[in-house]
């Protein structure tokens, strides 16, 4: 910050901006320091004191939420608040979305006090003022060029969005890289005008996987094992599959070792069944199924897909609950499939860790492993299992049809019996969330004044576009609702609920408990040999988030 006096009319700010562009485009931008030097020269000529230099380096797009042009906004805000009497800017060709609206606030301020916006003349040899808002002859040109710059920015951003939307709907792979076991191929085809165009598609990757035990195995073959053969035919869990791949020294997609999360995401990825995907908007990396405006899935493959839909659903069902078999050790296989009713549900109140089955009891796992727990919980198997089943039965059979717990149970039951419908519903919900955020952004821009003045003509078109997108997304969601046709009434009737429990084997009983119960935390008994009092020693966390 420069030293300055109190009168804003004697002060000037300098705004310098440079894009992170590629030098290969044939255009070289003037540096930040060179822009600042030109601005200071103009300030000296005008007899003004430089108050602050705003510097910004980044993307030209105004639509990136990660690269907001905070410095430009702050520089304009300082001028509007009259913290400075003037602002010098090197170029007007990358103005913000407000366009003429931003200019009008400065040249026609509400308080009537003068503010001055200056732009460089662009002459590399003789720096000077190209446009000056205090000059009446320059005002019209400033408004025109600001509006042109705003329109150019919007058109460029919209063109990028529209291109990617069209490519996804057309079955083209828009991501930079392909999922492991697949590769990006360029396919030539004729469009409706008879012109030859090139599309990016996915195909099976037949390059070697560098399997130390089988050098001829391809990445596509390894991907098939991961996404189908190992979980379905051998019952491997995600962790066991990762361990199996690491034992064979097969490089992961990143070139390092395999992680169970990578295996999980591959089994869930719709691209392996040949379908277009899109990314989530909540910060997670998982790819979800893409649907076009009509709600249809879109093929992205050139040639056969790695899996059929049935195979992918079978693999997803096989790994539910992280069940499976571990990698053979010393000639023996160890199962990772839960064999006791409450495995995966129980937690120790003393340390927050899990409780495992041992002998005739469930107990905190830490003492047996030689690790400390301040109050290790232990409960007799029969008493604890009977109590948990009773609480589950009472809670479900006394619930109303519109209870949050019933909705959560229906969702989980649908995911079990209709996995594809559930995945479709999630994708449709994701599309609706994105569309509603775009609609909210348009109204927020309207409220912030970004559509004021000459920009008003663009508001109705933008509003109609995003509103139509929201309506299309709602229709797609309605047609793909996962709970349609899923009946959990048998769990809400006391007799049918108990009948279903009695008829179920242990894996199904465990699955039924997991529909409604997230966890059961057990406290340590008050003394050795104390009778089990479930209501005093347990705390349930239910699928709707409630705890009691």
């Amino acid at each position: 910050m420069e030293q300055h006096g109190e009168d804003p009319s004697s002060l000037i700010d300098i705004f310098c901006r440079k894009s992170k562009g590629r030098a290969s485009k044939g255009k070289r931008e003037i540096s930040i320091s060179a822009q600042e030097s030109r601005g200071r020269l103009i300030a000296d000529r005008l007899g003004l004191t430089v108050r602050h230099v705003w510097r910004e380096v980044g993307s030209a797009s105004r639509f990136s939420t990660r690269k907001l042009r905070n410095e430009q906004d702050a520089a304009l805000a300082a001028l509007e608040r009259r913290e400075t009497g003037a602002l010098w800017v090197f170029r007007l060709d990358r103005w913000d979305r407000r366009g003429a609206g931003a200019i009008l606030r400065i040249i026609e301020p509400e308080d009537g006090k003068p503010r001055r916006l200056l732009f460089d003349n662009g002459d590399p040899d003789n720096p000077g003022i190209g446009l000056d808002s205090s000059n009446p002859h320059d005002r019209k040109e400033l408004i025109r060029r600001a509006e042109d710059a705003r329109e150019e920015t919007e058109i460029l951003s919209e063109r990028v969005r529209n291109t990617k939307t069209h490519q996804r709907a057309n079955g083209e792979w828009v991501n930079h890289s392909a999922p492991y076991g697949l590769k990006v191929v360029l396919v030539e085809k004729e469009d409706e005008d008879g012109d030859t165009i090139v599309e990016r598609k996915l195909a099976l990757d037949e390059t070697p996987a560098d399997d130390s035990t089988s050098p001829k195995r391809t990445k596509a073959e390894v991907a098939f094992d991961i996404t189908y053969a190992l979980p379905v035919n051998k019952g491997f869990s995600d962790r066991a599959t990762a361990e199996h791949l690491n034992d064979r020294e097969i490089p992961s997609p990143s070139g390092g070792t395999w992680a169970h999360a990578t295996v999980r995401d591959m089994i869930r990825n719709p691209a392996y069944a040949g379908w277009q995907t899109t990314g989530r908007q909540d910060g997670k990396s998982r790819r979800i199924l893409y649907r076009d405006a009509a709600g249809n899935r879109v093929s992205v493959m050139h040639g056969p897909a790695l899996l059929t839909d049935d195979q992918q659903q079978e693999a997803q069902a096989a790994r539910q609950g992280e069940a499976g078999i571990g990698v053979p050790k010393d000639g023996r296989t160890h199962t990772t499939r839960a064999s006791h009713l409450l495995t995966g549900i129980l937690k120790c109140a003393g340390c927050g860790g899990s409780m495992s089955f041992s002998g005739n009891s469930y107990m905190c796992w830490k003492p047996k492993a030689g690790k400390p727990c301040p109050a290790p919980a232990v409960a007799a198997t029969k008493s604890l299992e009977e109590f948990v089943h009773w609480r589950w039965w009472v809670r479900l059979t006394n619930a109303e049809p519109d209870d949050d717990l019933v909705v959560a149970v229906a969702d989980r039951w649908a995911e079990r019996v209709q996995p594809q419908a559930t995945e479709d519903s999630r994708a449709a919900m994701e599309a609706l969330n994105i569309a509603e955020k775009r609609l909210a952004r348009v109204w927020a821009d309207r409220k912030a004044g970004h559509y004021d003045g000459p920009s008003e003509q663009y508001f109705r078109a933008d509003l109609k576009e995003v509103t139509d997108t929201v309506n299309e997304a709602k229709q797609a969601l309605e047609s793909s609702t996962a709970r349609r046709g899923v009946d959990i009434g048998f769990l809400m009737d006391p007799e049918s609920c108990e009948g279903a429990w009695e008829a179920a084997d242990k894996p199904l009983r465990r699955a039924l408990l997991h529909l409604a119960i997230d966890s059961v935390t057990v406290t340590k008994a008050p003394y050795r040999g104390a009778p089990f009092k479930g209501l005093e020693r347990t705390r349930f966390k239910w699928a709707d988030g409630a705890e009691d």
Side-chain angles (χ1 to χ4, degrees):
M1 191 78 70
E2 305 287 338
Q3 298 296 322
H4 54 79
E6 297 294 329
D7 184 9
S9 63
S10 66
L11 306 178
I12 185 171
D13 282 5
I14 295 174
F15 176 74
C16 308
R17 186 171 193 280
K18 186 175 187 296
S19 293
K20 294 178 180 177
R22 295 183 179 180
S24 61
K25 295 294 184 180
K27 295 172 67 176
R28 184 181 180 89
E29 287 191 83
I30 184 172
S31 67
I32 292 288
S33 59
Q35 291 181 37
E36 181 179 340
S37 296
R38 294 175 72 93
R40 288 185 179 276
L41 178 61
I42 298 303
D44 289 341
R45 290 180 182 175
L46 296 174
L48 301 176
T49 301
V50 175
R51 184 191 75 100
H52 185 68
V53 178
W54 305 89
R55 300 176 179 89
E56 184 173 272
V57 179
S59 167
S61 172
R62 282 292 291 163
F63 292 87
S64 172
T65 58
R66 298 181 300 279
K67 299 178 181 177
L68 296 176
R69 290 165 63 174
N70 296 323
E71 293 295 293
Q72 178 177 291
D73 292 343
L76 288 171
L79 185 61
E80 290 178 19
R81 291 193 299 265
R82 209 166 181 269
E83 295 172 6
T84 181
L87 174 66
W88 178 91
V89 181
F90 178 63
R91 281 200 324 218
L92 182 58
D93 63 348
R94 292 194 185 103
W95 206 242
D96 74 350
R97 181 171 180 165
R98 291 176 294 178
I103 301 290
L104 290 170
R105 282 190 177 86
I106 295 168
I107 63 178
E108 296 180 359
E110 292 182 0
D111 59 11
K113 296 180 180 180
R115 293 161 177 79
R116 200 170 177 185
L117 190 59
L118 306 167
F119 289 90
D120 190 83
N121 63 359
D123 188 332
D125 300 320
N126 300 296
I129 300 174
L131 293 171
D132 183 349
S133 64
S134 65
N135 185 341
H137 297 291
D138 288 346
R139 291 190 177 193
K140 184 176 181 180
E141 181 65 12
L142 273 170
I143 292 174
R144 185 191 69 78
R145 290 179 60 180
E147 197 62 17
D148 288 345
R150 181 205 62 79
E151 185 175 356
E152 179 184 355
T153 300
E154 287 198 340
I155 290 174
L156 176 62
S157 181
E158 189 65 26
R159 185 182 299 126
V160 171
R161 286 201 303 268
N162 288 342
T163 297
K164 287 193 173 183
T165 300
H166 170 76
Q167 288 173 332
R168 278 200 174 94
N170 193 46
E172 298 181 56
W173 188 251
V174 300
N175 296 344
H176 174 69
S177 58
Y180 180 87
L182 304 176
K183 64 180 180 181
V184 176
V185 294
L186 301 180
V187 181
E188 291 187 353
K189 61 174 291 187
E190 284 191 0
D191 64 10
E192 59 273 15
D193 298 322
D195 297 327
T196 300
I197 59 174
V198 178
E199 296 180 342
R200 297 176 85 243
K201 294 281 191 176
L202 293 181
L204 301 182
D205 188 352
E206 303 296 347
T207 58
D210 296 331
D211 186 342
S212 62
T213 62
S214 181
K216 293 185 178 180
R217 291 187 75 210
T218 67
K219 290 183 178 180
E221 291 173 335
V222 171
F224 180 80
D225 283 351
I226 295 170
T227 57
Y228 182 77
L230 292 178
V232 173
N233 298 335
K234 293 192 175 183
F236 275 21
S237 66
D238 295 347
R239 294 182 185 274
T241 297
E243 187 178 350
H244 171 77
L245 297 169
N246 291 330
D247 285 347
R248 289 174 170 260
E249 300 179 353
I250 300 173
S252 72
S254 64
T257 58
W258 288 85
H260 73 276
T262 303
V263 173
R264 176 200 63 205
D265 291 344
M266 287 178 63
I267 294 174
R268 292 174 171 178
N269 195 335
Y272 289 109
W275 301 113
Q276 180 70 279
T277 66
T278 185
R280 299 183 69 161
Q281 302 299 310
D282 54 5
K284 298 181 181 179
S285 60
R286 179 186 169 195
R287 311 304 297 178
I288 62 174
L289 181 70
Y290 168 84
R291 288 184 176 275
D292 61 18
N296 299 317
R297 295 182 296 176
V298 177
S299 173
V300 75
M301 293 299 298
H302 177 65
L306 186 74
L307 304 175
T308 65
D309 288 338
D310 290 341
Q311 287 175 326
Q312 186 165 65
Q313 291 178 32
E314 190 178 358
Q316 291 173 357
R319 60 165 302 282
Q320 280 191 356
E322 191 62 7
I325 296 173
V327 177
K329 299 292 184 182
D330 301 325
R332 297 173 297 170
T333 60
H334 63 282
T335 180
T336 62
R337 191 178 302 278
S339 56
H340 303 286
L341 184 63
L342 302 183
T343 299
I345 291 180
L346 301 178
K347 289 185 177 181
C348 171
C351 63
S354 62
M355 296 177 65
S356 59
F357 180 85
S358 180
N360 294 320
S361 303
Y362 290 98
M363 60 180 60
C364 176
W365 70 275
K366 287 189 175 181
K368 191 174 180 180
K371 298 181 180 294
C373 174
V378 181
T381 301
K382 186 174 185 296
S383 299
L384 185 56
E385 289 184 349
E386 288 179 350
F387 177 76
V388 170
H389 165 242
W390 175 75
R391 284 295 314 276
W392 169 85
W393 179 85
V394 168
R395 183 69 191 273
L396 281 179
T397 56
N398 284 277
E400 296 296 329
D402 59 348
D403 283 356
D404 290 341
L405 179 65
V406 174
V407 175
V409 169
D411 283 337
R412 293 183 178 185
W413 183 247
E415 186 170 3
R416 180 178 180 86
V417 300
Q418 294 183 3
Q420 186 59 56
T422 303
E423 188 67 25
D424 293 349
S425 181
R426 286 173 178 165
M429 178 62 74
E430 191 76 20
L432 178 58
N433 288 338
I434 294 171
E436 289 179 336
K437 287 179 181 178
R438 289 186 62 194
L439 177 61
R441 186 166 64 241
V442 168
W443 280 111
D445 287 347
R446 175 62 176 263
K447 185 177 180 180
H450 294 178
Y451 286 101
D452 290 351
S455 299
E456 174 68 28
Q457 59 181 310
Y458 300 100
F459 173 69
R460 292 188 180 277
D462 288 352
L463 180 63
K464 182 180 185 304
E465 178 189 352
V466 294
T467 301
D468 290 345
T469 303
V470 169
N471 291 333
E472 291 173 356
K474 286 181 177 179
Q475 293 174 3
L477 179 60
E478 290 174 0
S479 65
S480 64
T481 301
R483 290 197 300 273
R484 180 174 296 167
V486 175
D487 181 14
I488 61 166
F490 71 97
L491 293 175
M492 302 177 66
D493 176 74
E495 290 188 7
S496 62
C497 182
E498 190 60 28
W501 181 265
E502 292 297 331
D505 57 12
K506 187 172 291 186
L508 182 54
R509 287 184 177 184
R510 187 166 45 249
L512 290 173
L513 290 178
H514 276 281
L515 292 178
I517 301 173
D518 278 352
S519 65
V520 178
T521 301
V522 185
T523 60
K524 184 180 179 180
Y527 58 88
R528 187 178 180 86
F532 179 76
K533 296 182 179 180
L535 292 175
E536 297 178 5
R537 291 187 54 196
T538 62
R539 184 170 184 83
F540 282 64
K541 182 178 181 181
W542 300 94
D544 61 351
E547 294 188 38
D548 55 32

